[in-house]
C-alpha cells in the first residue's frame, strides 16, 4: 500500500483490539484470499501446549474478515459487512504457530449484483487452519452479509 493508505492488515490491527491482543500477522490480503498467522505464544496455549481453540477461532474469523474487506472494502460507504454465523471443526492437534487461509466462497460480482438488486446478500468464506508443516488442523466456514447502511436523516 502507499504511505498514505494503510493496508487491510494495518487497518484491522488499528481498529480491532483482539487482532493486536493476539499479535496476528497479516501475510497476504487480496479480494480473493487472506492469509493470517498466529504466532506461538505461551499465554494463548491450551492444556496440550497448542493454541487455544478461542485463539484459533479468532485467527480464522479475522482471516475471513480480511478477505471480505479485500473484496468489498470499496463498498463501505453503502454497506457494513457483518458475520452472520460460523462453524469450526478442529481436526488435529495444533502446535506452534498456525496459519489461517480464507477464501471467498462466491464471486464478489455475484454478491454485488444481489446487493444492487435490493437484496441483502449472504456469502460464505471458507478458512483452512494449518500448522507450520502444512497439516490442516482445523477448518471454518463463516457466512457473511453486506448490510446496507441506513440513510442519514
Amino acid at each position: 500500500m502507499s504511505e498514505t493508505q494503510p493496508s487491510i492488515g494495518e487497518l484491522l490491527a488499528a481498529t480491532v483490539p483482539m487482532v493486536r491482543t493476539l499479535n496476528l500477522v497479516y501475510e497476504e490480503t487480496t479480494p480473493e484470499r487472506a492469509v493470517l498467522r498466529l504466532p506461538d505464544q505461551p499465554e494463548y496455549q491450551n492444556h496440550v501446549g497448542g493454541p487455544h481453540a478461542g485463539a484459533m477461532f479468532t485467527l480464522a474469523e479475522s482471516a475471513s474478515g480480511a478477505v471480505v474487506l479485500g473484496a468489498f472494502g470499496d463498498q463501505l460507504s453503502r454497506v457494513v459487512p457483518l458475520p452472520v454465523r460460523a462453524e469450526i471443526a478442529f481436526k488435529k492437534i495444533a502446535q506452534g504457530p498456525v496459519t489461517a487461509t480464507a477464501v471467498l466462497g462466491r464471486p464478489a460480482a455475484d454478491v454485488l449484483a444481489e446487493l444492487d438488486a435490493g437484496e441483502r446478500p449472504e456469502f460464505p468464506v471458507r478458512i483452512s487452519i494449518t500448522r507450520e508443516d502444512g497439516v490442516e488442523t482445523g477448518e471454518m466456514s463463516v457466512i457473511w452479509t453486506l448490510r446496507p447502511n441506513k440513510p442519514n436523516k
Side-chain angles (χ1 to χ4, degrees):
M1 288 278 154
S2 72
E3 290 180 31
T4 58
Q5 188 171 6
S7 69
I8 289 173
E10 291 167 336
L11 176 68
L12 290 172
T15 59
V16 180
M18 193 60 141
V19 168
R20 293 189 307 276
T21 297
L22 290 178
N23 300 307
L24 300 182
V25 178
Y26 288 78
E27 295 186 342
E28 176 187 341
T29 304
T30 71
E32 293 83 29
R33 85 183 212 141
V35 180
L36 275 68
R37 185 172 42 83
L38 173 66
D40 187 16
Q41 303 168 89
E43 61 271 28
Y44 302 116
Q45 290 180 349
N46 59 21
H47 62 289
V48 294
H52 188 278
M56 288 194 294
F57 183 98
T58 301
L59 169 69
E61 192 279 337
S62 297
S64 78
V67 76
V68 168
L69 280 179
F72 304 108
D74 62 342
Q75 301 295 315
L76 295 180
S77 63
R78 68 180 186 141
V79 299
V80 174
L82 296 169
V84 176
R85 61 189 170 278
E87 184 175 327
I88 191 166
F90 300 101
K91 299 167 71 175
K92 296 202 180 276
I93 299 239
Q95 297 271 299
V98 290
T99 300
T101 302
V103 178
L104 202 60
R106 287 181 55 203
D110 292 354
V111 175
L112 291 175
E114 285 182 23
L115 182 67
D116 291 340
E119 299 174 34
R120 184 169 164 176
E122 289 190 1
F123 54 94
V125 174
R126 292 178 177 72
I127 307 100
S128 174
I129 304 168
T130 56
R131 302 187 301 222
E132 275 190 308
D133 63 4
V135 171
E136 186 176 60
T137 62
E139 58 187 9
M140 186 172 178
S141 176
V142 181
I143 305 298
W144 283 81
T145 189
L146 298 179
R147 187 198 76 201
N149 291 333
K150 295 186 168 72
N152 291 332
K153 293 184 178 184

